[in-house]
Amino acid sequence: MPKIIAPLTEMQARKAKPHDKAYRLFDGGGLYLEVTPKGSRIWRMKFRQANGSENVLTFGPYPEITLQNAREKRLEARRLILQGVDPAKLRDATKRRAAEEAANTFEKIAREWYANKVPTWSERTSKNMIQRLEADIFPQIGKLPIAELKHRDVIAALRKIEQRGAAEIAHRMKAVCAQIFSYAIQCGLTDRNLVVDMKDVLKTRRASHFAAIDADELPAFLGVLERNEARMFQPTRIALRLMLLVFVRTSELIETPWSEINLEKGEWIIPWQRMKRGKLTVNPDMTDHHVCLSRQACHLLRELHAITGGGTYLFPNQRDHHKPISNNTLLVALERMGYKGRMTGHGFRALAMSTIKERLGYRHEVVDRQLAHAPKDKVASAYDRAQFLAERHRMMQDWADYIDSVAADVQQK
């Protein structure tokens, strides 16, 4: 017959004094108060595991854990045992899970996500991404466990970016955070993507286009460029003229090595790996881009070759000739010309697209292909290569002649 144990009273627990050796005050059902020689009083509970061996649960110190608290914990443990759950194993698993969650901070998971993405990005994208995370996100929420983050934590980080006037960056980092949460869900580290719910927490962005002058403003622009009151160096002026004549993307021009230019044949073919769509990780467009040089563009390249032809790039960096000029060089030049907010590197592409169609009468498809935009399908892509190249050569020469005629009218006035 089991031994009957009289339940403890609150007074017995409160007045328990330390002895030379640790001793126990039993309450029944495996629960007891262990009193140590140093005076600590700890609630513990003995129980038998499914394999018959004895184990002990620790509920915490008295008086922080009262007698009533300890009895409630005993009842919870016994219910688990009746359900076939080992309370000690559940306790250990809970501690382990809590430790893992505490270790899986937002910054740790974000860096894992970043490391997985880096092989699919360009060097510039990779550098910009980690700089943005380290500057704007990690200082705010990086040390917090990703599973414990609340909406308000992420919103506060994003609004801090927005408040300094960087609304576009705030929206971009919101999208980045959404990807990081998605990665965490796939890894089993959190159950919810908080950012998906954040549709209205940032100010709505107005749709905008790159600043660009139109055909009616071209004469004034050519006049400013010719007078060179901004006192730009010759390579910079040539770069602006080439942007006007060939309207490639800014990075495609400034990063061009002389090895791509064949001055004898008057050819410039950009390898597909340097093109925007060639850098895609999924279904990259492996079509080399024919720039289709006009006589005027060839003349400018020969003039430039006399200045920078001994180096690697058409437009070498003044501080390090092994690197090209930065993207900001042309923006600064346009600003010095008085076109800040009115013209950008991308604006030359918009100007050419609209003017060539409206003033020279070329079809949209031909101009679009010269801009290296993506064809709608592979059949269209093959047709473009087969049929548009000769027409594009004519178009580019007509465009250069049109610019010359506008410049001549400016000089006569």
Side-chain angles (χ1 to χ4, degrees):
M1 183 175 179
K3 183 179 178 180
I4 298 176
I5 300 174
L8 280 174
T9 65
E10 189 71 36
M11 182 175 292
Q12 286 176 300
R14 186 171 61 252
K15 291 188 174 183
K17 303 297 183 183
H19 295 168
D20 292 340
K21 294 182 179 180
Y23 66 95
R24 302 170 180 177
L25 296 175
F26 290 92
D27 186 62
L31 179 66
Y32 61 89
L33 184 67
E34 181 178 274
V35 185
T36 70
K38 292 184 178 180
S40 298
R41 291 165 290 182
I42 309 295
W43 290 110
R44 303 189 194 279
M45 174 185 166
K46 293 191 300 183
F47 72 98
R48 289 200 176 277
Q49 296 176 300
N51 59 10
S53 62
E54 190 176 88
N55 204 346
V56 176
L57 292 172
T58 298
F59 293 152
Y62 178 88
E64 288 82 356
I65 302 297
T66 66
L67 174 59
Q68 183 61 34
N69 295 152
R71 286 171 175 168
E72 290 171 357
K73 289 178 179 293
R74 176 183 61 190
L75 181 59
E76 292 173 8
R78 296 185 69 176
R79 284 172 176 166
L80 288 172
I81 293 169
L82 288 173
Q83 294 171 14
V85 178
D86 187 322
K89 291 182 179 179
L90 179 63
R91 172 202 61 197
D92 294 342
T94 302
K95 287 183 178 179
R96 187 168 55 251
R97 185 165 55 252
E100 289 174 353
E101 289 179 355
N104 288 320
T105 62
F106 183 87
E107 179 173 349
K108 177 176 179 288
I109 304 309
R111 289 188 183 277
E112 286 182 10
W113 168 82
Y114 173 80
N116 286 344
K117 288 287 189 179
V118 163
T120 68
W121 290 335
S122 67
E123 182 180 352
R124 182 181 301 162
T125 299
S126 301
K127 183 178 179 181
N128 288 343
M129 181 63 71
I130 198 64
Q131 285 179 341
R132 287 296 175 202
L133 285 169
E134 290 176 345
D136 294 324
I137 302 300
F138 294 164
Q140 307 303 317
I141 61 174
K143 290 181 172 59
L144 299 176
I146 195 165
E148 295 179 13
L149 279 170
K150 306 298 182 186
H151 287 81
R152 62 177 177 271
D153 300 320
V154 183
I155 292 170
L158 296 173
R159 283 183 175 167
K160 189 169 183 179
I161 304 171
E162 186 179 58
Q163 286 165 6
R164 71 166 189 258
E168 181 64 28
I169 293 175
H171 280 274
R172 289 181 187 176
M173 295 316 297
K174 174 173 170 280
V176 169
C177 288
Q179 292 184 53
I180 293 169
F181 269 100
S182 177
Y183 171 79
I185 291 171
Q186 294 172 61
C187 292
L189 303 175
T190 189
D191 299 322
R192 187 177 181 186
N193 192 330
L194 303 181
V195 187
V196 170
D197 301 331
M198 299 180 190
K199 296 181 180 178
D200 303 309
V201 299
L202 295 176
K203 294 176 182 176
T204 303
R205 294 171 295 175
R206 291 184 178 181
S208 61
H209 301 282
F210 291 100
I213 61 172
D214 59 29
D216 292 334
E217 296 173 286
L218 180 57
F221 179 85
L222 292 173
V224 173
L225 185 59
E226 178 62 27
R227 290 192 300 273
N228 193 25
E229 293 171 356
R231 304 180 73 176
M232 296 178 288
F233 291 119
Q234 187 64 0
T236 304
R237 296 178 68 198
I238 291 175
L240 290 173
R241 288 192 177 111
L242 283 173
M243 285 293 291
L244 187 59
L245 285 169
V246 298
F247 47 89
V248 292
R249 295 178 178 90
T250 305
S251 62
E252 292 163 3
L253 175 69
I254 65 176
E255 295 173 6
T256 298
W258 278 109
S259 58
E260 288 180 9
I261 307 292
N262 188 327
L263 289 175
E264 292 184 3
K265 293 184 178 179
E267 275 187 351
W268 176 9
I269 301 176
I270 304 177
W272 63 268
Q273 294 91 338
R274 275 214 311 121
M275 300 299 294
K276 180 179 179 181
R277 290 192 54 78
K279 295 176 182 177
L280 296 176
T281 56
V282 179
N283 297 325
D285 184 349
M286 293 184 284
T287 307
D288 295 339
H289 181 59
H290 289 252
V291 179
C292 300
L293 297 173
S294 61
R295 291 189 305 274
Q296 292 87 333
C298 288
H299 175 76
L300 283 174
L301 286 169
R302 291 189 181 95
E303 184 179 342
L304 181 64
H305 191 266
I307 305 171
T308 67
T312 302
Y313 295 100
L314 272 66
F315 302 99
N317 191 296
Q318 292 298 312
R319 294 181 179 177
D320 184 354
H321 287 190
H322 297 291
K323 295 181 179 180
I325 58 176
S326 72
N327 269 326
N328 287 332
T329 303
L330 297 187
L331 280 176
V332 171
L334 290 168
E335 181 178 343
R336 291 175 62 186
M337 290 173 61
Y339 281 84
K340 182 178 181 179
R342 298 170 56 198
M343 189 60 168
T344 61
H346 199 280
F348 290 105
R349 294 165 64 79
L351 170 66
M353 167 66 91
S354 59
T355 310
I356 290 174
K357 290 196 301 181
E358 295 170 6
R359 303 288 173 94
L360 303 184
Y362 279 89
R363 292 174 295 141
H364 175 85
E365 294 85 353
V366 182
V367 189
D368 205 47
R369 191 68 188 96
Q370 186 59 39
L371 288 164
H373 287 163
K376 292 183 179 180
D377 53 50
K378 292 182 178 180
V379 174
S381 177
Y383 181 78
D384 288 352
R385 287 197 298 272
Q387 301 296 328
F388 288 178
L389 192 55
E391 192 171 357
R392 282 162 49 201
H393 271 293
R394 291 195 301 272
M395 178 187 74
M396 296 300 278
Q397 187 57 58
D398 286 348
W399 170 237
D401 292 342
Y402 173 81
I403 293 172
D404 280 352
S405 67
V406 173
D409 289 344
V410 171
Q411 291 177 357
Q412 288 177 4
K413 294 178 181 179

